[in-house]
């Protein structure tokens, strides 16, 4: 199978389309009908009625068919007859005689009179409409619009009131100003970059999912279907909040209150919508305390649940928000679901059960975990593909980059988010990381530690930008690792951070390529043209931040600042920030997409890198794979609905 180019997706990502691929956003009907169009509708209705009258008036050739229709109407009102079948296939009623035929003729005449009367009435109404003035027609149209809007409001009044639950302890949601003036100056620069990205989107792409900063118009990709859901607004909310950009946050909140509607006929990625929208809305709720974010998150979560209606309970990759119909990506091995997609739901779904009291969310993700625990794993590794119909693995391809990455991340973070009580998640993580280190982690001839990809028994000596998040993951999971290996995993995280920094440093633009190789004398360098692009990805900076938090080694701030300067120099345009197609070219071309994850992740991690540790401390917050912070649930003696094994 030909591997598709990686789509510029967020957090831990998967391949679908080539960078910059888009689908035109679907604009929801707002009932803006012109008066001329209304008149055309009236005239067409009038013509339809006129012709309809002729079609419904029976002639001799259609008499039997017409009689059958009348019999269907009349049978309930007469004594039950004895039935037989005529050779023509029509039902013949025996035993009614001439009296019945007389009644048929009367009913026929009555029906003809009714059709004529309806025809005359419709004709008269059409004439009256045409006599009305422009102002009267506009008033009638407005009345109809108001009625439709009221009906829609009643229909989408929202979910039932949610049960009151104690707000988890939220600390360090703002400030974090560093004491060093030069660090504060850098942090202020990152805030300015965020404001430029947001203001550009506000001006040119408001309400669209993303922005084309050079064309200065809205942009969307197939992960959002044909919808206009304001992905950048939802994704950026918590970054705006922690940066103290409260006016911008308020603008985003108002748009969400007034315009964010999930009852649209759009086929979306379950994974992407979960990490960007549900994660973003939950984080905004916990940071700000505004109930609207919680309610919207729950509304959307209900739309995702039908994706789990598969024979195994492993969800489809995509679901239609309106119909609930799900399916998988056409390129996925043997119709499989993707490990990184169905394995990256746990954090958000546990919080949904906590906030709603609905056990379904918790049970869905625990079912996935239990199913995976029963399956054989080749060499202890999890393949990236699993068929949701058969429950069997697809192609034996294992990666800590695209397709696999955030599955491992969420095992660790499930344990952290549970206040380290979910020991099952921790054990599963430790076992998986041990297999990864044994089979995928290698050191190059030049001394660079990298994570390769396992394909059908062969190790491909290539590492993706997406896999660079693993340095931070190893550091985050060091404390609590078995056999006193905390120091070992912190060191492994540092080695991955160094390798990924080299992938940046060995380019002309000082920005990392999408993937880089470690063979044929080339190390940490992209070989193929379709791997030389940088689309504002966050994973390397994410690892810098985690390494800074755990070591306070100044090189991580230095490396982060180098990346920030390169982004500002080579990706900044008048209409926002754009990805570049070749990081080895001194005159790169733009892909003309400002990804929503640039605001959600890249700029957030840079801001946190130059903030003090008391801003979103890791003892209290766990970041989802889209960098949306969710609080640790210090549940104590509280039991999540559905967590009782007897209920599963």
């Amino acid at each position: 199978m030909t591997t598709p180019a990686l789509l510029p997706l967020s957090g831990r990502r998967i391949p679908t389309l080539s960078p910059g691929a888009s689908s035109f956003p679907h604009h929801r009907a707002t009932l803006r009908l012109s008066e001329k169009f209304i008149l055309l509708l009236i005239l067409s209705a009038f013509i339809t009625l006129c012709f309809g009258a002729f079609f419904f008036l029976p002639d001799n050739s259609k008499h039997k068919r017409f009689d059958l229709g009348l019999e269907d109407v009349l049978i309930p009102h007469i004594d039950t007859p004895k039935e037989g079948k005529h050779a023509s296939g029509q039902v013949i009623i025996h035993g009614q005689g001439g009296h019945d035929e007389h009644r048929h003729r009367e009913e026929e005449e009555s029906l003809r009179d009714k059709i004529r009367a309806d025809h005359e009435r419709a004709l008269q109404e059409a004439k009256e409409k045409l006599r009305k003035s422009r102002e009267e027609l506009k008033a009638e149209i407005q009345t109809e619009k108001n009625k439709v809007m009221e009906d829609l409001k009643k229909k989408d009044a929202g979910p039932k009131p949610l049960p009151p639950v104690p707000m988890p302890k939220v600390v360090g949601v703002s400030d974090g100003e560093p004491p060093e003036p030069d660090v504060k100056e850098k942090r202020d620069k990152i805030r300015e970059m965020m404001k430029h990205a947001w203001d550009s989107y506000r001006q040119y792409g408001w309400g669209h999912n993303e922005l084309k900063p050079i064309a200065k118009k809205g942009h969307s990709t197939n992960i959002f279907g044909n919808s206009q859901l304001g992905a950048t607004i939802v994704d950026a909310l918590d970054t705006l909040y922690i940066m103290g950009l409260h006016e911008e946050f308020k603008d985003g909140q108002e748009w969400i209150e007034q315009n964010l509607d999930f009852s649209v006929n759009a086929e979306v990625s379950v994974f992407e919508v979960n990490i960007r929208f549900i994660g973003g809305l939950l984080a905004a709720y916990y940071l700000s305390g505004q109930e609207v974010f919680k309610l919207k998150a729950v509304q959307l979560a209900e739309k995702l649940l039908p994706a789990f209606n598969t024979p195994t309970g492993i969800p489809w990759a995509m679901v239609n928000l309106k119909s609930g119909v799900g399916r998988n990506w056409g390129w996925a091995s043997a119709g499989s679901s993707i490990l990184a997609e169905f394995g990256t739901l746990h954090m958000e779904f546990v919080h949904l059960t906590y906030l709603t009291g609905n056990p379904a969310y918790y049970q869905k993700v625990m079912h996935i975990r239990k199913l995976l625990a029963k399956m054989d794993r080749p060499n202890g590794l999890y393949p990236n593909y699993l068929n949701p119909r058969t429950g069997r693995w697809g192609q034996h391809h294992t990666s800590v980059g695209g397709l696999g990455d955030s599955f491992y991340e969420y095992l660790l973070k499930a344990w952290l988010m549970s206040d380290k009580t979910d020991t099952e998640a921790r054990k599963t993580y430790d076992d998986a990381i041990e297999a990864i280190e044994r089979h995928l982690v290698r050191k190059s001839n030049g001394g660079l530690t990298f994570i390769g990809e396992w394909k059908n028994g062969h190790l491909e000596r290539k590492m993706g930008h997406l896999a660079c998040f693993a340095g931070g993951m190893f550091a985050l999971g060091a404390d609590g690792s078995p056999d006193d290996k905390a120091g070992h995993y912190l060191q492994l995280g540092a080695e991955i951070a160094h390798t990924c920094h080299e992938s940046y440093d060995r380019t002309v633009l000082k920005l990392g390529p999408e993937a880089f190789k470690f063979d044929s004398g080339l190390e940490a360098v992209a070989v193929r043209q379709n791997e030389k692009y940088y689309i504002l990805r966050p994973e390397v900076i994410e690892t810098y931040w985690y390494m800074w938090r755990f070591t306070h080694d100044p090189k991580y701030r230095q490396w982060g600042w180098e990346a920030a300067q390169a982004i500002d120099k080579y990706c900044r345009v008048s209409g926002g920030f754009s990805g570049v197609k070749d990081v080895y070219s001194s005159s790169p071309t733009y892909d003309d997409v400002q990804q929503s994850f640039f605001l959600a992740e890249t700029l957030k991690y840079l801001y946190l890198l130059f903030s003090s540790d008391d801003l979103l401390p890791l003892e209290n917050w766990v970041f989802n794979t889209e960098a949306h912070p969710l609080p640790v649930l210090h549940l104590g003696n509280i039991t999540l609905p559905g967590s009782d094994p007897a209920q599963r």
Side-chain angles (χ1 to χ4, degrees):
M1 182 185 76
T2 303
T3 304
L6 286 172
L7 177 70
L9 308 184
S10 61
R12 313 290 82 83
R13 295 304 162 226
I14 60 160
T16 49
L17 298 175
S18 59
S22 66
S23 57
F24 292 104
H26 170 69
H27 299 271
R28 283 180 291 129
T30 53
L31 304 177
R32 295 187 182 125
L33 300 175
S34 67
E35 292 83 0
K36 188 179 290 185
F37 187 55
I38 291 293
L39 288 175
L40 286 172
L41 285 175
I42 293 167
L43 288 171
S44 64
F46 163 65
I47 293 166
T48 301
L49 279 169
C50 290
F51 279 100
F54 290 110
F55 282 118
F56 280 108
L57 287 173
D59 57 24
N60 289 336
S61 65
K62 296 178 182 177
H63 204 87
K64 287 182 180 178
R65 192 173 178 182
F66 190 78
D67 282 350
L68 178 59
L70 285 176
E71 284 163 5
D72 290 339
V73 174
L74 294 172
I75 285 171
H77 305 288
I78 58 180
D79 294 335
T80 304
K82 184 178 176 181
E83 295 186 2
K85 256 211 184 269
H86 190 267
S88 67
Q90 292 180 337
V91 176
I92 305 297
I93 310 298
H94 300 286
Q96 300 303 315
H99 174 67
D100 201 35
E101 290 179 11
H102 177 68
R103 289 184 64 179
H104 280 196
R105 284 195 293 273
E106 287 181 349
E107 291 292 339
E108 279 184 36
E109 191 59 41
S110 174
L111 187 57
R112 287 194 188 94
D113 291 342
K114 184 177 184 306
I115 291 171
R116 289 192 190 97
D118 289 343
H119 170 75
E120 290 294 331
R121 186 167 59 254
L123 184 60
Q124 188 60 35
E125 287 177 1
K127 288 178 179 177
E128 289 174 2
K129 290 280 185 190
L130 292 172
R131 289 195 198 104
K132 290 187 177 181
S133 67
R134 179 186 179 89
E135 288 70 25
E136 288 174 316
L137 282 171
K138 285 176 70 175
E140 284 192 11
I141 292 167
Q142 189 60 47
T143 301
E144 286 301 314
K145 283 172 65 176
N146 292 341
K147 184 177 181 298
V148 171
M149 293 303 293
E150 284 300 316
D151 290 343
L152 286 173
K153 284 179 183 177
K154 289 176 185 175
K155 182 180 176 183
D156 297 325
K160 298 173 186 175
L162 299 176
V165 293
M167 175 71 92
K169 185 181 180 183
V170 290
V171 297
V173 299
S174 59
D175 196 20
E177 185 169 311
E180 308 90 342
D182 61 321
V183 178
K184 182 182 183 304
E185 188 178 333
K186 291 179 173 69
R187 191 173 87 141
D188 288 344
K189 174 59 180 176
I190 304 302
R191 185 194 285 113
E192 184 277 328
M193 290 169 68
M194 176 68 181
K195 191 155 176 22
H196 177 62
W198 174 265
D199 289 347
S200 298
Y201 169 78
R202 181 77 176 82
Q203 182 174 357
Y204 303 118
W206 193 239
H208 290 266
N209 288 316
E210 292 172 317
L211 170 68
K212 294 178 78 66
I214 296 171
K216 295 183 178 177
K217 63 181 183 180
H219 170 75
S220 193
T221 62
N222 63 337
I223 59 175
F224 304 117
N226 57 347
S227 63
Q228 191 172 322
L229 295 172
T232 295
I233 299 173
V234 180
D235 232 0
L237 278 172
D238 53 4
T239 307
L240 294 169
Y241 192 90
I242 67 170
M243 287 186 178
L245 296 170
H246 295 302
E247 284 302 313
E248 290 81 357
F249 179 87
K250 185 180 176 185
D251 284 347
Q253 179 177 338
E254 287 178 357
W255 186 89
I256 285 170
E257 287 175 336
Q258 296 168 13
N259 299 286
L260 187 54
D261 176 18
F262 301 118
S263 58
V264 291
N265 184 20
E267 190 180 51
V268 301
S269 163
V270 174
F271 160 74
E272 295 287 349
V273 165
N274 175 62
I275 65 172
R276 299 197 204 203
F277 283 83
I278 294 180
L281 290 165
L282 290 177
Y285 164 66
Y286 284 122
L287 291 170
S288 70
Q290 296 295 315
E291 290 282 319
V292 62
F293 300 127
K294 177 172 68 173
L295 294 174
K296 291 287 185 181
V298 173
Q299 284 177 7
L300 176 56
E302 289 175 353
K303 300 282 189 179
L304 297 187
L305 285 177
F308 292 83
N309 295 336
T310 67
T312 60
I314 297 293
W316 299 114
M318 291 173 286
V319 69
N320 187 294
L321 293 176
K322 193 175 188 70
S323 68
V325 174
R327 69 178 178 96
N328 276 339
W329 301 109
W331 51 262
S333 169
S336 293
S337 298
I338 308 299
L339 182 69
E341 296 197 328
F342 64 77
T344 311
L345 302 167
H346 189 98
M347 289 180 65
E348 297 82 2
F349 275 45
V350 168
H351 272 276
L352 287 166
T353 284
Y354 174 71
L355 292 171
T356 64
N358 181 357
Y361 303 107
Y362 179 85
Q363 289 169 344
K364 299 287 187 195
V365 291
M366 288 305 295
H367 175 79
I368 293 172
R369 185 191 293 181
K370 299 299 181 191
L371 187 146
L372 290 175
K374 295 174 184 175
M375 297 186 64
D376 291 331
R377 293 180 294 282
N379 296 315
L381 298 171
Y382 291 84
N384 291 336
Y385 300 103
L386 180 61
N387 191 301
R389 296 185 188 276
T390 65
R392 296 195 185 101
W393 296 119
Q395 178 185 356
H396 282 191
H397 172 207
T398 296
S399 170
V400 185
L403 304 176
D405 43 22
S406 48
F407 165 71
Y408 308 102
E409 175 189 4
Y410 267 40
L411 291 174
L412 173 62
K413 291 181 175 179
W415 175 70
L416 291 168
M417 199 180 72
S418 71
D419 198 17
K420 301 182 180 179
T421 60
D422 187 353
T423 53
E424 181 182 74
R426 177 76 216 208
K427 176 69 164 61
T428 308
Y429 168 79
D430 290 332
D431 292 346
I433 295 305
E434 184 183 344
I436 285 168
E437 191 171 5
R438 187 184 310 117
H439 295 287
L440 306 185
V441 176
R442 294 289 184 271
K443 190 159 283 195
S444 72
N445 294 333
L448 296 177
T449 301
F450 67 94
I451 310 172
E453 298 191 9
W454 191 264
K455 292 187 175 180
N456 295 317
H458 169 72
L459 182 70
E460 188 176 9
R461 297 171 66 85
K462 180 175 83 170
M463 186 171 176
H465 192 292
L466 293 166
C468 285
F469 92 98
M473 179 179 72
F474 292 144
L476 183 62
D479 185 21
S481 56
D483 305 323
D484 297 321
K485 293 178 76 173
H488 166 75
Y489 283 113
L490 193 60
Q491 177 61 28
L492 181 58
E495 291 176 14
I496 296 297
H498 173 65
T499 297
C500 293
H501 174 255
E502 286 298 309
S503 78
Y504 273 53
D505 204 43
R506 297 179 186 192
T507 70
V508 172
L509 304 187
K510 304 303 178 186
L511 293 169
E514 182 68 10
F516 40 95
K517 294 223 171 182
F518 296 88
D519 57 14
S520 304
L522 293 173
E523 297 194 354
V525 174
V527 177
R528 297 178 180 175
Q529 188 61 41
N530 66 356
E531 295 174 342
K532 294 180 179 180
Y533 60 87
Y534 172 71
I535 53 171
L536 308 172
R537 286 205 190 275
E539 291 77 24
V540 174
I541 295 164
E542 175 183 354
T543 279
Y544 293 165
W545 173 62
Y546 277 112
M547 293 308 303
W548 165 257
R549 278 283 175 105
F550 290 113
T551 69
H552 288 119
D553 187 328
K555 72 182 178 187
Y556 295 115
R557 276 185 166 171
Q558 178 57 35
W559 291 352
W561 183 239
E562 289 171 6
Q565 288 179 299
I567 291 169
D568 199 52
K569 182 175 181 179
Y570 296 110
C571 300
R572 184 174 185 137
V573 295
S574 63
F577 289 86
S578 169
V580 292
K581 293 182 179 179
D582 188 347
V583 293
Y584 300 96
S585 169
S586 56
S587 54
T589 54
Y590 297 110
D591 68 8
D592 197 18
V593 180
Q594 179 176 284
Q595 309 285 345
S596 80
F597 58 72
F598 177 64
L599 293 82
E601 301 183 77
T602 311
L603 292 174
K604 183 186 285 125
Y605 284 130
L606 280 168
Y607 187 79
L608 290 170
L609 182 61
F610 298 109
S611 299
S612 61
D613 291 1
D614 58 2
L615 179 59
L616 299 175
L618 292 174
E619 297 77 28
N620 301 92
W621 298 91
V622 184
F623 289 73
N624 88 337
T625 199
E626 188 78 357
H628 295 307
L630 301 176
V632 170
L633 291 173
H634 300 278
L635 296 176
N637 295 322
I638 301 173
T639 302
L640 281 175
S643 62
D644 183 351
Q647 298 177 16
R648 289 181 215 154

